[in-house]
């Protein structure tokens, strides 16, 4: 990169929140676009087109990566975009937020040979962003509308992918969601520094223009009963995600300024979307100038620490009871967070929250790794008399999520669920024990990834379509 480009890149990166709209930004954009274009072509041409595409095998959508890299390297970007869209409903979103180091890129043959992976996700994003810019991505035009309808509960990636695929076949689709905006965790969970929200809005607007109806602020089980919804539609997809935060029952748990991760992240995302957020504006859910402690070493924990950094927290510490090697969060995210100044306190566990009315510190105990448990992971054990106090003005609990009690929420005690509360499905058809009711995404898998939710949504489409065709045949025979 030339010095001039470097200067502009720095301008663009240094001031994401305070960026002034001036000529420099336009100049920056032009130079940056050229730079990204060159980079994407360079990266694409690094693909060795190896015989066994391990990247494709390890992508949950089995994206045809080598072929779209070849097309991109040859500058055939429209074809590359069409190919990328043939297996993925949101390539630019996956390109931005898939943990590629665990999926496609982690299995790139060039990476394995020690020469650094082809940056597959970045190229996927580039190809699709470029297609949007050029106006190549268009709403679905169906040849003939089929007089059968599907009700999709949940406008997250699983519900959206299924809705889009079914609409392509001509079915009438209504998506019901309890949030005020569609997108699920793409909108209110994943922070906007990782995923620009306009990319999600662009996708959901396209679905609206494709004739899919959205009913927001519409909680199934409250606004409409599940039974009523089943009568209204020929088939149902449940794609409600998992939202019940896991808790730690510690002394002092009810002190002020201890929050579940989603509360903290939603406030920050709403602010980024331009909403008025009273509890952010009055400082309660804002980490600015606070000693902030995040509990949990998963991806949600990483998003919380990096959000706190961006809010100008005084200090950000992450407590995790195992060590770096055994951390569930992406290694790349940990590196990013460390570079941004986050301190990871490995092998540590909170024992008590201390304060009068609000939190002032956390009593932390040191841990060591013992023998492996039934899951094969080494079990963390406390080290006696190792406690120390850690100053904290704000604590965020990021310990994972469980499913809500759907049979109760839906007043549908017959809906079959697993011990952990996820919905049980026939793994071949994705149908639940209730005829015509299918399920996909986190509510089936437990907390997982966007790319898996898209995969599930697409798989469910195939079975739903089969079910609807059989239903139509039966009713035609009966008539
Ligand atoms: C903080 C955070 C960061 C993450 N970061 C990443 C990441 O970087 N990369 C990645 O791949 N994955 C990430 N994930 C995981 C990813 O977001 C989820 O796996 C994915 O969104 C699941 O998709 P889904 O469609 O199953 O559910 P969701 O995205 O959760 O969508 C479910 C939708 O259902 C709606 N709903 C629930 N109940 C009802 C009801 N009764 N009536 C109507 N609507 C209802 C909800 O409002 C929601 O919109 C992250 C998760 C979190 C929490
Ligand atoms: S969808 Fe995710 S795993 Fe698949 S190629 Fe794209 S970034 Fe890689």
């Amino acid at each position: 990169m030339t010095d001039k480009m470097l200067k502009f890149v720095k301008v663009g990166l240094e001031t994401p929140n305070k960026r002034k709209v001036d000529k420099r930004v336009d100049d920056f954009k032009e130079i940056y676009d050229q730079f990204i274009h060159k980079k994407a072509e360079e990266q694409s041409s690094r693909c060795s087109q190896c015989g066994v595409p391990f990247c494709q095998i390890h992508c949950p959508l089995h994206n045809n990566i080598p072929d779209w890299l070849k097309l991109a390297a040859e500058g055939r970007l429209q074809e590359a975009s069409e190919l990328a869209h043939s297996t993925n409903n949101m390539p630019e979103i996956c390109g931005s937020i898939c943990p590629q180091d665990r999926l496609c890129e982690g299995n790139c043959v060039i990476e394995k040979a020690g020469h650094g992976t082809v940056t597959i996700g970045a190229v996927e994003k580039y190809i699709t962003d470029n297609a949007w810019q050029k106006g190549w991505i268009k709403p679905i035009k169906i040849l003939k509308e089929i007089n059968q309808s599907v009700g999709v509960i949940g406008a997250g990636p699983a519900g959206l992918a299924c809705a889009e695929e079914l609409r392509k076949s001509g079915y009438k689709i209504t998506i019901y969601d309890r949030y005020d905006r569609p997108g699920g965790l793409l909108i209110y969970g994943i922070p906007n520094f990782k995923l620009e929200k306009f990319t999600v809005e662009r996708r959901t607007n396209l679905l609206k223009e494709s004739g899919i109806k959205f009913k927001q602020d519409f909680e199934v089980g409250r606004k409409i009963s599940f039974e009523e919804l089943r009568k209204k539609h020929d088939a149902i997809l449940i794609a409600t995600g998992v939202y019940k935060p896991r808790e730690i029952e510690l002394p002092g748990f009810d002190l002020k300024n201890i929050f579940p991760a989603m509360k903290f992240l939603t406030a920050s995302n709403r602010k980024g979307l331009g909403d008025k957020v009273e509890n952010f504006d009055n400082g309660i859910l804002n980490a600015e100038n606070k000693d902030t402690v995040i509990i949990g070493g998963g991806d949600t924990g990483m998003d919380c620490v990096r959000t706190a950094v961006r809010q100008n927290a005084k200090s950000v510490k992450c407590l995790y009871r195992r060590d770096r090697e055994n951390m569930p969060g992406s290694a790349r995210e940990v590196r990013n967070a460390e570079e941004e100044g986050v301190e990871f306190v490995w092998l540590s566990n909170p024992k008590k929250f201390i304060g009068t009315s609000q939190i002032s510190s956390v009593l932390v105990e040191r841990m060591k790794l013992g023998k492996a448990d039934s899951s094969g992971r080494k079990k963390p054990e406390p080290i006696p008399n190792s406690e120390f106090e850690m100053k904290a003005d704000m604590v965020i609990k990021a310990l994972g999520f469980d499913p809500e009690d759907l049979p109760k929420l839906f007043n549908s005690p017959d809906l079959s669920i697993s011990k952990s509360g996820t919905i049980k499905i026939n793994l071949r058809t994705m149908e639940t024990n209730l005829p015509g009711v299918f399920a996909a995404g986190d509510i089936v898998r437990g907390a997982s990834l966007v790319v898996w939710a898209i995969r599930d949504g697409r798989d469910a489409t195939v079975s739903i379509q089969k079910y609807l065709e059989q239903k139509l045949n039966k009713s035609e025979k009966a008539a």
Side-chain angles (χ1 to χ4, degrees):
M1 216 186 312
T2 63
D3 285 353
K4 193 175 174 203
M5 279 160 73
L6 200 62
K7 189 178 116 208
F8 283 123
V9 170
K10 277 189 177 158
V11 170
L13 295 178
E14 267 169 15
T15 56
N17 300 323
K18 304 163 206 153
R19 192 180 298 165
K20 285 188 186 124
V21 183
D22 61 17
K23 189 178 165 299
R24 281 198 308 171
V25 172
D26 287 342
D27 289 350
F28 163 72
K29 203 181 162 321
E30 197 180 315
I31 294 170
Y32 192 67
D33 281 352
Q34 283 169 17
F35 167 69
I36 290 288
H37 178 83
K38 200 159 166 278
K39 262 287 200 234
E41 279 192 356
E42 263 171 34
Q43 278 297 321
S44 305
S45 55
R46 288 184 64 229
C47 174
S48 66
Q49 299 288 319
C50 53
V52 187
F54 290 105
C55 55
Q56 182 169 1
I57 294 166
H58 285 88
C59 163
L61 293 163
H62 302 313
N63 281 341
N64 196 338
I65 301 163
D67 283 358
W68 49 248
L69 285 176
K70 189 164 187 288
L71 289 167
E74 291 168 1
R76 293 158 66 187
L77 290 174
Q78 187 160 8
E79 289 161 84
S81 160
E82 280 161 15
L83 190 58
H85 279 93
S86 67
T87 49
N88 190 350
N89 300 74
M90 323 172 177
E92 71 286 26
I93 293 178
C94 290
S96 303
I97 52 145
C98 271
Q100 286 100 4
D101 53 345
R102 291 185 239 156
L103 302 170
C104 53
E105 293 179 11
N107 290 283
C108 168
V109 168
I110 299 179
E111 165 78 5
K112 297 261 184 224
H115 299 295
T117 179
V118 175
T119 55
I120 298 165
V123 177
E124 187 178 25
K125 176 170 155 43
Y126 169 72
I127 292 170
T128 326
D129 280 347
N130 179 71
W132 276 105
Q133 243 175 40
K134 297 268 167 46
W136 296 334
I137 299 175
K138 299 252 173 13
I140 302 163
K141 274 215 175 81
I142 52 170
L143 295 174
K144 189 172 165 246
E145 192 162 77
I146 299 172
N147 198 20
Q148 281 180 304
S149 75
V150 181
V152 174
I153 314 175
L160 294 175
C162 179
E164 181 172 1
E165 292 305 299
L166 285 170
R167 184 65 187 158
K168 282 181 191 163
S169 301
Y171 294 101
K172 297 178 189 170
I173 314 291
T174 307
I175 306 182
Y176 303 87
D177 198 288
R178 66 181 172 194
Y179 278 141
D180 54 347
R181 290 183 173 93
L185 290 172
L186 296 176
I187 281 284
Y188 288 130
I190 301 173
N192 44 23
F193 66 84
K194 265 170 66 181
L195 179 65
E196 294 166 299
K197 302 299 163 171
F198 81 87
T199 62
V200 183
E201 287 170 341
R202 195 165 63 175
R203 282 280 163 201
T204 49
N205 287 339
L206 191 80
L207 297 186
K208 286 177 193 165
E209 289 165 35
S210 304
I212 294 172
K213 291 200 183 98
F214 283 79
K215 287 194 180 286
Q216 300 299 145
D217 279 321
F218 203 102
E219 181 164 354
V220 174
R222 205 182 295 253
K223 274 256 170 98
I224 189 168
S225 77
F226 183 61
E227 262 328 291
E228 246 178 284
L229 205 69
R230 285 185 74 192
K231 285 185 196 137
K232 218 172 140 103
H233 294 287
D234 296 285
I236 296 284
L237 177 80
I238 306 177
T240 47
V242 290
Y243 283 88
K244 197 169 100 190
R246 287 194 194 129
E247 276 301 338
I248 24 168
E249 301 292 330
L250 294 180
F253 71 95
D254 53 351
L255 288 169
K256 279 192 196 142
N257 293 347
I258 304 176
F259 303 108
M262 268 305 280
K263 202 166 182 177
F264 176 65
L265 292 173
T266 305
S268 171
N269 275 322
R270 279 198 181 281
K271 204 63 206 155
L273 283 156
D275 291 356
K276 192 171 166 11
V277 185
E278 212 183 307
N279 274 346
F280 185 92
D281 297 334
N282 62 18
I284 292 178
L285 285 169
N286 184 351
E288 189 172 4
N289 282 329
K290 291 180 185 162
D291 287 308
T292 309
V293 174
I294 284 94
I295 304 170
D299 288 333
T300 304
M302 295 311 96
D303 287 344
C304 291
V305 294
R306 299 187 70 199
T307 300
V309 167
R310 278 158 183 76
Q311 292 176 356
N312 291 325
K314 197 173 179 192
S315 70
V316 183
K317 293 195 174 71
C318 178
L319 301 185
Y320 181 55
R321 59 198 180 130
R322 291 188 167 92
D323 58 6
R324 183 191 285 268
E325 286 67 41
N326 288 287
M327 190 164 179
S330 146
R332 191 171 60 182
E333 286 287 288
V334 176
R335 270 199 310 276
N336 288 339
E338 278 179 329
E339 277 167 21
E340 289 169 5
V342 174
E343 187 188 327
F344 286 88
V345 189
W346 307 112
L347 292 162
S348 66
N349 208 28
K351 212 176 167 192
K352 187 179 170 186
F353 297 124
I354 300 168
T356 39
S357 69
Q358 62 183 48
I359 184 94
S360 58
S361 61
V362 183
L363 188 68
V364 181
E365 70 181 346
R366 298 251 176 229
M367 310 292 280
K368 62 178 180 181
L369 291 181
K371 284 192 182 136
D373 61 16
S374 57
S375 73
R377 292 177 82 198
K378 284 185 182 168
K379 219 174 150 208
E381 291 164 3
I383 300 176
N385 305 319
S386 64
E387 290 93 349
F388 63 99
E389 246 182 81
M390 183 180 283
K391 193 171 176 323
D393 304 312
M394 184 186 214
V395 169
I396 297 156
K397 297 174 287 181
L399 298 148
F401 302 93
D402 286 318
E404 292 158 280
D405 186 348
L406 270 201
K408 192 169 167 207
L409 274 176
F410 283 1
N411 192 19
S412 180
D414 294 346
L415 179 66
S416 188
I417 56 167
S418 70
K419 261 192 204 153
S420 61
T422 52
I423 296 183
K424 276 191 186 167
I425 54 165
N426 173 329
L427 291 175
R428 202 172 41 81
T429 64
M430 304 189 70
E431 197 170 16
T432 67
N433 64 319
L434 306 178
V437 178
F438 298 77
D442 280 5
I443 191 58
V444 175
R445 291 180 179 271
S448 177
L449 291 174
V450 169
V451 66
W452 279 113
I454 296 173
R455 163 76 191 268
D456 287 352
R458 293 174 69 90
D459 285 353
T461 306
V462 179
S463 299
I464 294 175
Q465 188 156 354
K466 244 187 221 160
Y467 172 85
L468 291 173
E469 282 164 0
Q470 281 168 4
K471 194 170 176 180
L472 197 63
N473 284 343
K474 265 190 211 157
S475 68
E476 279 172 359
K477 269 189 199 150

